[in-house]
Amino acid sequence: MGRWTLDDIHWDRFDPSKLDPEIVRIVKTASLVEYNGGAYAHHLCRIFHDEPDFQRAARHWGEEEIQHGRALARWAALADPSYDFVTAFDRFQSGYRVDFDRDVSRRGSRSGEMIARCMVEIGTSSYYSALRDGVREPVLKEICRHIAADEIRHYRLFHRNLMRCVECEPIGLWKRLRVAFGRIAEAQDDELAYAYYAANETASRYDRRRYTRAYARRAFALYREHHVRHIVALVFKAVDLPPRGRLFQAAGFLAWRALRFRAIRLTKAAA
Ligand SMILES: [Fe+2]
Ligand SMILES: [Fe+2]
């Protein structure tokens, strides 16, 4: 189990007067994606089939991701008692499937797989940090504080394993960058959009563009410059570039401007 459980959360401090309906929608979305963590752990165990120590760590990691899903689902049910997590998760699973039926990483190597996992944990650790800092409801803040701490620990787990993997499977800078940016671009694929749809919409038909934008509009607005600069520092570390100097400063500046530009455009488009 993780370092905290649902019993550690002060559920009695829940304050409905501090709810934002759009935050409730993106938390429901996250509850489905996190709860699916067990499938990813199974996938990692297949790729590292001859490494029992890492398999153990991957299973533990998967349990922590599932716990994130449980905590967020319980909070979402407090915020909206009509939220039926079990039905929503069934809908998510029946509409969104990742191809896990393989023993080799589609990133080309175990090192590539670890870089992709680092990117995901960078995304989640920054997301829950931004959510923790941006919401007013105290129980959600508490949950996000726990989850953000777990996610950065997950990043360190995969980064440590990456360092070990590259000793047998060296991976050059361009390949690292290709895997890293490829995984970042996949954030636009169906996973979040379909989870948003499965958690929040029952009447209308699925429309990837519409639900990607609905999710991103609320999520991007949460980020502040220090969150984005932290993302860039972790990405630089994962691709083995120094997190300092002109390139690092320029990347941080451009990433922040790009995110603000997109957040403002999404807000205007919805107005
Ligand atoms: Fe998570
Ligand atoms: Fe994680």
Side-chain angles (χ1 to χ4, degrees):
M1 272 318 273
R3 296 174 182 209
W4 57 280
T5 71
L6 268 61
D7 293 338
D8 296 320
I9 304 294
H10 297 89
W11 300 101
D12 56 325
R13 293 184 189 163
F14 179 72
D15 184 349
S17 72
K18 293 190 172 145
L19 286 178
D20 171 340
E22 282 203 56
I23 294 288
V24 177
R25 293 167 82 84
I26 61 173
V27 168
K28 288 177 185 172
T29 306
S31 73
L32 302 186
V33 175
E34 294 278 355
Y35 197 71
N36 210 19
Y40 287 91
H42 174 72
H43 179 57
L44 281 184
C45 285
R46 287 190 69 172
I47 292 172
F48 290 86
H49 55 85
D50 55 351
E51 298 195 24
D53 286 347
F54 181 72
Q55 286 184 328
R56 227 177 345 264
R59 280 191 209 100
H60 186 80
W61 161 75
E63 282 169 20
E64 292 192 345
E65 299 296 5
I66 291 167
Q67 177 168 281
H68 297 169
R70 281 205 193 98
L72 294 167
R74 183 160 164 190
W75 182 87
L78 278 179
D80 173 6
S82 72
Y83 181 46
D84 181 348
F85 172 73
V86 174
T87 303
F89 189 70
D90 276 352
R91 209 161 44 229
F92 176 53
Q93 279 213 309
S94 60
Y96 175 77
R97 285 246 175 248
V98 179
D99 176 18
F100 286 132
D101 193 22
R102 52 175 71 202
D103 292 328
V104 290
S105 171
R106 63 194 170 114
R107 316 293 170 185
S109 66
R110 292 180 179 186
S111 301
E113 182 67 29
M114 287 300 95
I115 289 174
R117 292 314 322 167
C118 283
M119 293 304 122
V120 174
E121 301 298 339
I122 291 168
T124 53
S125 67
S126 62
Y127 176 63
Y128 291 109
S129 300
L131 197 55
R132 172 201 64 205
D133 298 344
V135 300
R136 294 166 59 233
E137 201 296 306
V139 177
L140 182 57
K141 256 188 195 301
E142 185 183 355
I143 294 169
C144 290
R145 186 164 46 77
H146 282 299
I147 298 181
D150 283 351
E151 308 294 19
I152 198 72
R153 199 160 36 74
H154 295 165
Y155 169 81
R156 293 196 195 107
L157 164 73
F158 294 131
H159 190 262
R160 264 198 317 276
N161 203 46
L162 167 64
M163 295 292 99
R164 200 176 53 77
C165 289
V166 293
E167 287 174 16
C168 309
E169 289 179 339
I171 178 166
L173 177 63
W174 293 116
K175 178 71 181 164
R176 282 179 185 239
L177 289 172
R178 212 164 59 230
V179 172
F181 283 104
R183 186 58 191 85
I184 291 168
E186 283 172 27
Q188 299 293 311
D189 77 2
D190 282 314
E191 186 173 31
L192 282 169
Y194 203 86
Y196 186 95
Y197 168 73
N200 295 295
E201 306 287 342
T202 47
S204 46
R205 281 179 49 205
Y206 176 61
D207 176 336
R208 179 202 279 196
R209 185 167 186 268
R210 180 177 167 192
Y211 295 115
T212 299
R213 289 163 74 90
Y215 176 80
R217 185 173 64 243
R218 192 62 192 91
F220 286 4
L222 292 164
Y223 286 85
R224 296 294 170 262
E225 187 168 358
H226 66 277
H227 300 125
V228 176
R229 289 197 179 266
H230 190 54
I231 291 173
V232 174
L234 295 173
V235 170
F236 266 53
K237 192 175 165 200
V239 299
D240 205 22
L241 283 172
R244 70 191 87 87
R246 278 193 196 166
L247 180 62
F248 173 64
Q249 291 302 333
F253 175 79
L254 288 173
W256 167 238
R257 296 306 294 245
L259 188 131
R260 281 309 296 161
F261 178 72
R262 180 128 165 81
I264 290 166
R265 278 188 55 154
L266 285 167
T267 303
K268 280 185 181 164

